[in-house]
Amino acid sequence: MLPKNPIIGLCQQASFLISAAKVDQCPEDSGLEVAFAGRSNAGKSSALNTLTHASLARTSKTPGRTQLLNFFSLDEERRLVDLPGYGYAKVPIPLKQHWQKHLEAYLGSRESLCGLVLMMDIRHPLTEFDRMMLDWSVASGMPLHILLTKADKLAFGAAKNALLKVRQEIRKEWGEGISIQLFSAPKRMGVEEAQMVLAAWLDLLPEEDEEGTEA
């Protein structure tokens, strides 16, 4: 039984802050923020809304609608960021290039970024974009947590096997530092586990002393 997560209360009061087309339009680079990334059809907005118990990110049946860096405030020092969806075939090439340019600028310059949640459709994991994000996180030392989304689309045994297979490949190519789990927004599968990762990154969990007790 996981303890009551302090991030839940913050999420219940979360609010839209600003949308930015370019890095210089982002909020002041202070405090802590966690960014959500993924291909346009990976269920990124649904996952963000499920984790926060709110309708923060706009979901659409047409992938690729998230064309801006969307910032959501949890409190004065903490934010969540919905990054532009990537890789949807019907998006014009110039727009794709714009997204990539400013996504790279954000990732490379944002001092307050403390972790990245990468969403992969469990049926189509480790795409070219996913691998690019994994390469970047390892090279930059940025904590990264993977949600294998749409896990409800597979039988439980098949989903577990997919998780093990992807985990093995990630450890082989990118090492032990990247965490991964099953996730389903409609079934609320894996929500508490993912929320604990967010709480740790956003410095919301009580510190423990060397004896293993809370400080």
Side-chain angles (χ1 to χ4, degrees):
M1 183 81 178
L2 292 172
K4 175 76 171 178
N5 192 329
I7 201 172
I8 295 174
L10 288 184
C11 287
Q12 290 171 344
Q13 62 187 36
S15 60
F16 172 76
L17 187 59
I18 194 172
S19 291
K22 298 185 292 186
V23 173
D24 59 12
Q25 298 172 349
C26 293
E28 180 182 349
D29 193 0
S30 63
L32 298 169
E33 63 192 30
V34 172
F36 289 74
R39 282 179 60 87
S40 300
N41 56 357
K44 181 165 54 67
S45 296
S46 295
L48 181 56
N49 288 339
T50 301
L51 287 171
T52 58
H53 302 280
S55 297
L56 294 181
R58 206 175 70 182
T59 59
S60 172
K61 292 184 178 179
T62 303
R65 287 291 175 85
T66 305
Q67 300 177 10
L68 302 167
L69 297 158
N70 293 309
F71 290 80
F72 304 97
S73 174
L74 297 179
D75 62 19
E76 292 184 359
E77 294 295 319
R78 298 174 178 87
R79 297 171 298 278
L80 302 179
V81 190
D82 189 11
L83 300 179
Y86 189 88
Y88 186 54
K90 294 182 180 180
V91 173
I93 293 295
L95 187 54
K96 285 184 181 179
Q97 292 171 339
H98 172 85
W99 291 355
Q100 185 170 1
K101 175 184 175 182
H102 294 293
L103 179 58
E104 289 173 354
Y106 167 81
L107 292 173
S109 66
R110 196 71 175 168
E111 294 290 335
S112 53
L113 182 62
C114 62
L116 186 67
V117 179
L118 177 61
M119 266 135 296
M120 301 181 192
D121 185 328
I122 193 169
R123 300 163 298 177
H124 312 288
L126 295 173
T127 65
E128 182 181 358
F129 171 76
D130 299 331
R131 292 174 180 276
M132 182 181 74
M133 298 303 291
L134 285 159
D135 287 343
W136 175 82
S137 72
V138 171
S140 62
M142 179 63 62
L144 186 143
H145 183 67
I146 295 170
L147 301 183
L148 286 180
T149 61
K150 306 185 182 183
D152 58 296
K153 301 291 186 181
L154 300 180
F156 184 72
K160 276 288 192 182
N161 287 337
L163 172 64
L164 293 173
K165 184 177 178 181
V166 176
R167 179 181 284 142
Q168 287 175 351
E169 186 166 350
I170 286 171
R171 286 179 175 173
K172 181 179 177 181
E173 293 194 36
W174 293 279
E176 300 283 341
I178 294 163
S179 51
I180 184 171
Q181 65 166 100
L182 297 176
F183 189 86
S184 166
K187 301 293 185 182
R188 298 192 58 79
M189 178 195 301
V191 171
E192 290 185 354
E193 183 179 349
Q195 286 174 334
M196 290 300 290
V197 173
L198 296 180
W201 285 350
L202 292 169
D203 198 23
L204 288 167
L205 299 180
E207 294 184 8
E208 293 185 351
D209 61 26
E210 294 181 359
E211 299 293 324
T213 57
E214 292 183 7

